[in-house]
């Protein structure tokens, strides 16, 4: 006979809010680390162990410039060891901006009457996805406001639609989602459509601050949002992404909130979040925030390095909200995914004109409007391997199992070869002559780092790609 928690009268704590603001403030206020403590924490992390909340508090409280440099150096080194030199590329696709919530920082808020509201029709989604495929994109994140029109059934429908759109050699191999929290049944429906990651940002982990920013609609409910990814796990979605919107509240509190959330998922479901996002507030119509909490560039670089050290196996996502120079600088501290060729205006990927950003039609202002080609060009110059790999997820190496694979040797056997193969496809199908020339040099250089056997097999696959085969991976 199976004992359920109710039968044993043990409350199921998995679905309960797990943030204790006093505990977090206590850690921030009462951790005064000396040099050796900071160094101990960095070296624990370099042995690829996740940090506790207390250890993360040691890092957020390190203020000596030399120690901050050591934290950044540690993050750079850990990134190399865990992720190698790949950067995974994706693009966001806004499906609809109708919204019943009233978040004070967002241009889609219901009180913003100037916003031009739109939901893409299926025909428009097809046009947009074809345009994205024509640029070489293989991984998308679909974004939705919170509105009765964007039900679980509708989200699942759009996911299936996107997977079915093929143009030339183009196809979308991974569809991630950023949408409102669902109930368990809703998550199940969306999961069954074959999504990659379901991403939900808590925005701020501080309940009082949360209340101040979220004035209306379902999003007002802090606990419903905080426990959303527990419901996703319960519904069988083991690939989830968390995030905080920096600039709403004290950045140190949010870093500890993110780590607490990651540790909660790991403790309850044996699998931490797949990704962490750390968007910073950007200009939007009717933006209303407390300037006291603005996170400056130095703090931003620091918090990325700290997150890298705190959760060594969690992907870190940096978006086009940030300007190219800053992206270049902070990428080295542990970022594993970036977007390229991003446009936020609904329907704009399939419009050939490159218009100025128009805040009536966008959620917020982005600061990197380079094309995917330009982003790839820069990555190649900086010796990164731009990757469109979707192999792990399609081979079932996700969730708990994915953790097993995050072991020494895995990168060289799987990640680097797969990054090389997806880059080769891009170079054959979409690159300008100049980028192709640069790209093949990067391919050769990285092939040389592989073991002979793997190198040989990868070369054979590249030859098959050059002859026209696609979607070959390890
Ligand atoms: N409506 C859903 C929600 O709120 O979860 C979907 C996502 S919303 C379109 C995507 C994310 O954009 C939000 O979670 C928030 O973190 C971020 N965002 C909102 N306003 C922003 C702003 N002014 N600057 C930067 N990021 C912003
Ligand atoms: Fe709506 Fe999301 Fe914007 Fe809030 S952040 S107003 S929920 S789209």
């Amino acid at each position: 006979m199976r004992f359920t928690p109710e039968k044993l009268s043990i409350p199921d704590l998995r679905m309960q809010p797990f943030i204790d603001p006093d505990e977090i403030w206590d850690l921030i206020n009462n951790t005064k680390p000396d040099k050796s403590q900071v160094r101990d924490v960095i070296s624990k992390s370099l042995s690829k162990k996740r940090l506790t909340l207390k250890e993360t508090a040691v890092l957020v409280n390190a203020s000596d410039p030399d120690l901050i440099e050591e934290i950044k150096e540690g993050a750079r080194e850990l990134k190399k060891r865990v992720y190698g030199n790949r950067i995974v590329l994706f693009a966001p696709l806004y499906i609809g901006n109708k919204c019943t919530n009233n978040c004070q920082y967002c241009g889609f808020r219901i009180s913003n009457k100037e916003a031009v509201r739109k939901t893409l029709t299926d025909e428009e989604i097809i046009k947009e996805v074809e345009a994205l495929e024509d640029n070489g994109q293989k991984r998308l994140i679909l974004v939705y406001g919170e509105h009765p029109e964007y039900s679980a059934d509708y989200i699942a429908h759009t996911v299936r639609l996107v997977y079915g759109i093929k143009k030339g050699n183009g196809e979308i191999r991974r569809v991630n989602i950023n949408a409102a929290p669902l109930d368990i049944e809703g998550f199940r429906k969306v999961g069954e459509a074959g999504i990659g990651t379901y991403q939900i940002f808590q925005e701020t982990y501080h309940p009082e601050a949360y209340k101040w920013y979220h004035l209306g609609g379902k999003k007002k409910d802090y606990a419903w949002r905080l426990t959303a990814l527990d419901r996703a796990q319960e519904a069988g979605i083991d690939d989830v992404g968390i995030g905080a919107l920096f600039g709403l509240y004290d950045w140190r509190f949010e870093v500890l909130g993110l780590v607490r959330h990651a540790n909660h998922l790991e403790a309850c479901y044996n699998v931490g979040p797949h990704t962490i996002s750390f968007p910073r507030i950007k200009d939007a119509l009717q933006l209303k925030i407390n300037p006291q909490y603005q996170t400056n560039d130095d703090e931003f670089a620091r918090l990325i390095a700290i997150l890298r050290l705190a959760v060594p196996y969690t992907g870190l996502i940096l978006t086009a909200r940030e300007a190219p120079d800053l992206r270049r600088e902070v990428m080295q501290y542990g970022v594993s995914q970036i977007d390229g060729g991003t446009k936020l205006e609904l329907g704009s990927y399939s419009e050939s004109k490159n218009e100025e950003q128009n805040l009536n039609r966008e959620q917020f202002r982005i600061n990197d409007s380079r094309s995917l080609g330009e982003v790839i060009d820069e990555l190649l110059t900086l010796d990164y391997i731009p990757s469109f790999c979707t192999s792990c997820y399609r081979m079932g190496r996700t969730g708990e199992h994915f953790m097993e694979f995050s072991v020494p040797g895995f990168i060289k056997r799987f990640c680097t070869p797969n990054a090389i193969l997806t880059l080769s496809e891009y170079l054959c199908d979409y690159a300008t002559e100049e980028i192709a020339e640069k790209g093949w040099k990067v391919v050769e250089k990285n092939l040389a780092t592989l073991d002979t056997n793997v190198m040989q097999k990868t070369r054979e696959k590249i030859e098959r790609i050059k002859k026209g085969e696609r979607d070959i991976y390890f």
Side-chain angles (χ1 to χ4, degrees):
M1 180 182 152
R2 272 187 69 191
F3 287 99
T4 61
E6 303 85 77
K7 282 188 185 137
L8 290 170
S9 322
I10 299 172
D12 185 349
L13 293 176
R14 290 171 307 164
M15 300 285 162
Q16 304 297 317
F18 44 83
I19 294 284
D20 177 351
D22 295 337
E23 179 197 15
I24 293 182
W25 269 123
D26 192 45
L27 282 169
I28 294 174
N29 290 331
N30 298 316
T31 309
K32 308 260 180 289
D34 58 30
K35 268 191 187 161
S36 73
Q37 277 172 305
V38 175
R39 287 177 182 151
D40 285 350
V41 173
I42 297 174
S43 72
K44 173 176 174 187
S45 169
L46 282 172
S47 64
K48 300 183 188 167
K49 294 203 183 80
R50 261 184 316 109
L51 301 182
T52 63
L53 216 50
K54 171 112 186 104
E55 288 160 344
T56 313
V58 166
L59 298 185
V60 301
N61 277 329
S63 52
D64 173 340
D66 291 343
L67 281 180
I68 292 174
E69 272 318 302
E70 286 182 38
I71 289 172
K72 288 184 180 168
E73 191 43 49
R76 224 187 320 233
E77 179 56 30
L78 186 66
K79 179 190 160 157
K80 244 187 268 159
R81 290 190 200 170
V82 176
Y83 292 91
N85 57 344
R86 291 163 301 132
I87 292 281
V88 170
L89 289 160
F90 71 95
L93 173 60
Y94 278 68
I95 299 290
N97 67 357
K98 296 187 182 170
C99 196
T100 47
N101 292 328
N102 204 0
C103 312
Q104 302 229 43
Y105 44 80
C106 178
F108 291 169
R109 60 193 288 196
I110 192 167
S111 67
N112 180 8
K113 304 295 178 209
E114 289 169 61
V116 180
R117 304 286 169 176
K118 183 168 173 59
T119 305
L120 297 182
T121 62
D122 283 4
E123 288 66 36
E124 285 169 332
I125 293 177
I126 294 170
K127 267 172 72 185
E128 288 290 277
V129 172
E130 285 182 346
L132 285 156
E133 289 177 355
D134 281 346
N135 286 333
Q137 302 280 4
K138 296 280 186 278
R139 305 166 60 106
L140 298 185
I141 181 153
L142 307 187
V143 187
Y144 314 73
E146 180 158 6
H147 191 272
E149 270 185 31
Y150 312 141
S151 63
D153 286 312
Y154 176 72
I155 295 176
H157 162 74
T158 54
V159 171
R160 292 198 172 93
L161 178 65
V162 169
Y163 276 129
I165 302 166
K166 321 255 175 199
K167 186 164 179 223
N169 283 333
E171 61 181 350
I172 301 303
R173 298 178 184 155
R174 183 175 171 107
V175 177
N176 297 331
I177 297 292
N178 186 322
L182 302 171
D183 58 15
I184 294 176
E185 193 40 42
F187 277 121
R188 195 165 286 129
K189 283 183 188 165
V190 174
E192 281 164 4
I195 59 162
T197 307
Y198 202 113
Q199 221 180 50
I200 296 174
F201 305 156
Q202 186 59 28
E203 320 298 10
T204 170
Y205 282 91
H206 193 275
E208 286 304 313
Y210 188 93
K211 207 188 280 174
W212 192 84
Y213 288 107
H214 299 102
L215 300 180
K218 184 91 182 131
K219 196 161 166 182
K220 255 180 20 187
D221 188 342
Y222 172 90
W224 175 252
R225 196 164 178 94
L226 188 67
T227 53
L229 297 173
D230 294 72
R231 295 193 295 283
Q233 292 281 351
E234 208 58 30
I237 298 178
D238 64 5
D239 189 330
V240 298
I242 63 175
L245 182 55
F246 282 86
L248 298 184
Y249 191 59
D250 193 296
W251 69 269
R252 300 166 305 164
F253 188 96
E254 306 298 10
V255 168
L256 294 195
L258 287 166
V259 171
R260 180 78 183 87
H261 199 165
N263 292 350
H264 163 80
L265 292 171
E266 169 84 31
C268 292
Y269 309 99
N270 257 331
V271 44
H274 188 150
T275 55
I276 295 186
S277 301
F278 32 84
R280 274 198 304 182
I281 288 277
K282 299 293 160 194
D283 194 18
L285 283 183
Q286 292 200 3
L287 179 72
K288 190 160 173 239
I289 50 163
N290 185 343
Q292 173 191 352
Y293 296 121
Q294 210 175 11
T295 309
N296 66 33
D297 291 355
D298 289 340
E299 290 163 340
F300 192 57
R302 254 167 97 186
L303 75 87
I304 294 173
I306 293 170
L307 285 171
R308 173 69 300 133
L309 292 172
V311 285
Y313 289 122
T314 304
L316 295 185
I317 302 181
L318 174 70
T319 68
R321 288 175 180 84
E322 306 299 339
D325 286 354
L326 185 74
R327 288 182 108 189
R328 195 175 311 122
E329 151 78 12
V330 299
M331 232 165 20
Q332 52 178 323
Y333 305 130
V335 171
S336 52
Q337 292 190 28
I338 63 170
D339 52 347
T342 292
K343 293 184 182 180
L344 296 196
E345 183 173 334
L346 277 102
S348 55
Y349 287 115
S350 50
E351 284 167 4
S352 47
K353 51 187 190 304
N354 223 346
E355 275 186 356
E356 279 285 290
Q357 291 182 60
N358 178 350
L359 283 188
N360 285 336
R361 294 169 178 275
E362 289 167 15
Q363 192 191 9
F364 51 81
R365 192 182 297 284
I366 57 169
N367 287 295
D368 185 353
S369 52
R370 290 174 299 168
S371 68
L372 178 63
E374 287 169 308
V375 171
I376 288 184
D377 191 9
E378 179 181 272
L379 290 174
L380 292 169
T381 307
L382 297 173
D383 254 345
Y384 288 107
I385 322 175
S387 172
F388 294 94
C389 179
T390 52
S391 156
C392 276
Y393 137 87
R394 289 153 87 215
M395 298 289 281
R397 294 188 299 248
T398 66
E400 197 180 342
H401 307 291
F402 178 74
M403 306 296 264
E404 293 165 20
F405 285 102
S406 297
V407 291
F410 186 79
I411 297 176
K412 276 193 165 183
R413 264 185 299 142
F414 294 94
C415 308
T416 307
N418 284 330
I420 291 174
L421 293 175
T422 54
L423 174 60
S424 302
E425 286 186 350
Y426 178 86
L427 299 178
C428 289
D429 290 339
Y430 306 104
T432 59
E433 239 175 74
E434 203 183 315
I435 293 179
E437 195 187 327
K438 222 187 239 184
W440 288 117
K441 282 189 189 142
V442 170
V443 166
E444 274 309 315
K445 194 167 163 185
N446 283 282
L447 278 169
T449 66
L450 302 176
D451 295 339
T452 321
N453 178 28
V454 182
M455 185 210 293
Q456 198 45 44
K457 285 188 180 148
T458 311
R459 280 196 192 284
E460 285 163 19
K461 286 184 165 44
I462 293 176
E463 284 315 307
R464 284 165 55 195
I465 289 172
K466 286 184 176 166
K467 290 192 181 117
E469 260 188 84
R470 290 291 171 270
D471 203 16
I472 322 176
Y473 50 87
F474 289 93

